[in-house]
Amino acid sequence: MAGTGNVIVVDHPLVQHKLTLMRRKDQPTTDFRRLVSEVSLLLAYEVTRDLPLETIEIETPLEPMTAPILAGKKLCFVSILRAGNGILDGMLDLVPSARVGHVGLYRDPETLVPVEYYIKVPDDLGERLTVVVDPMLATGHSAAAAIGRLKQAGAKKIRFVCLLAAPEGLAVVAETHPDVTVYTAAIDRQLDSHGYIRPGLGDAGDRLFGTK
């Protein structure tokens, strides 16, 4: 991994290989969805690297032993609808006991400002590591708005995971939420005039769900 400030780029060879396959415009929806799930599992591995452990007494088939197990409340994954669900599925494969929340936001096509239409999260967010997931960190406004709402709901320790980030989006999150670390597979060049990441991979939601 490579990290500067509040950004960690997961540069594992398998992540980079699968990301390249995802970027290809001729990648079918089924394969794109599978690749997102696979990369998400690998990103989940990195974002949970420092989860606290405690020890318990167990018995193996051969003898008793003291062994490590996750301590305290399980973490919570929060998906920014709808595209975040593509990442959520892969992460739950790795941490099936995690709690799950959802924040519904859409980006106004004229102003690019996020509009909230739904939020449902566990009551005890303050006692859990909260991992917010969305494939693309573009303008950063949706991510910043979602993180702000989660803080209002009690979240104290938040991390953000995405497949791709633009420098503009990273700057917005760093300015509005300097306590939040962003995990991403790559930082692309820039945003275009429509708020799309370049070179990017297109609209992740449309490619995940075959809606365009």
Side-chain angles (χ1 to χ4, degrees), residues 36 79-88 133-136 203-206 208-209:
V36 170
S79 169
I80 299 180
L81 298 173
R82 65 180 171 149
N85 283 357
I87 292 184
L88 178 64
V133 299
D134 196 11
M136 315 296 279
D203 187 299
D206 285 335
L208 276 164
F209 303 115

Coordinates of all heavy atoms in Angstrom, one line a residue, residues 36 79-88 133-136 203-206 208-209:
V36 N -15.7 -6.2 -9.7 CA -16.0 -5.2 -8.6 C -16.0 -6.0 -7.2 O -15.4 -5.5 -6.2 CB -17.2 -4.4 -8.8 CG1 -17.6 -3.6 -7.6 CG2 -17.1 -3.5 -10.0
S79 N -23.4 1.7 2.6 CA -23.4 1.8 1.1 C -24.0 3.1 0.7 O -25.1 3.4 1.2 CB -24.1 0.6 0.5 OG -24.3 0.9 -0.9
I80 N -23.4 3.9 -0.1 CA -24.0 5.0 -0.7 C -24.8 4.5 -2.0 O -24.1 4.1 -2.9 CB -23.0 6.1 -1.1 CG1 -22.3 6.6 0.1 CG2 -23.7 7.3 -1.8 CD1 -21.3 7.7 -0.1
L81 N -26.1 4.6 -1.9 CA -26.9 4.0 -3.0 C -26.8 4.8 -4.3 O -26.6 6.0 -4.2 CB -28.4 4.0 -2.5 CG -28.7 3.1 -1.3 CD1 -30.1 3.3 -0.9 CD2 -28.4 1.7 -1.6
R82 N -26.9 4.1 -5.4 CA -27.1 2.7 -5.5 C -25.8 1.9 -5.8 O -25.7 0.7 -5.5 CB -28.1 2.4 -6.7 CG -27.5 2.8 -8.0 CD -28.4 2.5 -9.2 NE -27.8 3.2 -10.4 CZ -27.9 2.7 -11.6 NH1 -28.6 1.6 -11.8 NH2 -27.4 3.4 -12.6
A83 N -24.8 2.6 -6.4 CA -23.6 2.0 -6.8 C -22.8 1.3 -5.7 O -22.1 0.4 -5.9 CB -22.7 2.9 -7.6
G84 N -22.9 1.9 -4.5 CA -22.2 1.4 -3.4 C -22.5 -0.1 -3.1 O -21.6 -0.8 -2.5
N85 N -23.7 -0.5 -3.5 CA -24.1 -1.9 -3.2 C -23.2 -2.9 -4.0 O -23.0 -4.1 -3.6 CB -25.5 -2.2 -3.6 CG -26.5 -1.6 -2.6 OD1 -26.1 -1.1 -1.5 ND2 -27.7 -1.7 -2.8
G86 N -22.6 -2.5 -5.1 CA -21.7 -3.3 -5.8 C -20.4 -3.7 -5.0 O -19.9 -4.8 -5.1
I87 N -19.9 -2.7 -4.2 CA -18.8 -2.9 -3.4 C -19.2 -3.7 -2.1 O -18.5 -4.5 -1.6 CB -18.1 -1.6 -3.0 CG1 -17.5 -1.0 -4.2 CG2 -17.1 -1.7 -1.9 CD1 -16.7 0.3 -4.0
L88 N -20.4 -3.3 -1.6 CA -20.9 -3.9 -0.4 C -20.9 -5.4 -0.4 O -20.5 -6.1 0.5 CB -22.3 -3.4 -0.1 CG -23.0 -3.9 1.1 CD1 -22.3 -3.5 2.4 CD2 -24.4 -3.4 1.2
V133 N -18.9 3.0 1.6 CA -18.4 2.5 0.3 C -19.2 3.1 -0.8 O -20.4 3.3 -0.8 CB -18.5 0.9 0.3 CG1 -17.7 0.3 1.3 CG2 -20.0 0.5 0.4
D134 N -18.4 3.4 -1.9 CA -19.0 4.0 -3.1 C -17.9 3.8 -4.2 O -16.8 4.1 -3.9 CB -19.3 5.5 -3.0 CG -20.3 6.0 -4.1 OD1 -20.8 5.2 -4.8 OD2 -20.4 7.2 -4.1
P135 N -18.2 3.3 -5.3 CA -17.2 3.0 -6.3 C -16.3 4.2 -6.7 O -15.1 4.0 -7.0 CB -17.9 2.4 -7.5 CG -19.2 1.8 -6.9 CD -19.5 2.8 -5.8
M136 N -17.0 5.3 -6.9 CA -16.3 6.5 -7.5 C -16.3 7.7 -6.5 O -17.3 8.1 -6.0 CB -16.9 6.9 -8.8 CG -17.3 5.8 -9.7 SD -15.8 4.9 -10.3 CE -15.3 6.0 -11.6
D203 N -19.7 5.2 -15.8 CA -20.6 5.2 -14.7 C -20.7 3.9 -14.0 O -21.2 2.9 -14.6 CB -22.0 5.7 -15.2 CG -23.0 5.9 -14.1 OD1 -23.2 5.0 -13.3 OD2 -23.5 7.1 -13.9
A204 N -20.1 3.8 -12.8 CA -20.0 2.5 -12.2 C -21.4 1.9 -11.9 O -21.6 0.6 -12.1 CB -19.3 2.6 -10.8
G205 N -22.4 2.7 -11.6 CA -23.7 2.2 -11.3 C -24.4 1.6 -12.6 O -24.9 0.5 -12.5
D206 N -24.3 2.3 -13.7 CA -24.8 1.8 -14.9 C -24.1 0.5 -15.4 O -24.7 -0.5 -15.8 CB -24.7 2.8 -16.0 CG -25.7 3.9 -15.9 OD1 -26.7 3.7 -15.3 OD2 -25.4 5.0 -16.4
L208 N -22.5 -1.7 -13.4 CA -22.9 -2.7 -12.4 C -24.2 -3.4 -12.7 O -24.4 -4.6 -12.6 CB -22.8 -2.2 -11.0 CG -21.5 -2.1 -10.3 CD1 -21.6 -1.3 -9.1 CD2 -21.0 -3.5 -9.9
F209 N -25.2 -2.5 -13.0 CA -26.6 -3.0 -13.1 C -27.1 -3.0 -14.5 O -28.3 -3.4 -14.7 CB -27.5 -2.1 -12.2 CG -27.0 -2.0 -10.8 CD1 -26.6 -0.8 -10.2 CD2 -27.0 -3.2 -10.0 CE1 -26.1 -0.8 -8.9 CE2 -26.6 -3.1 -8.7 CZ -26.1 -1.9 -8.1

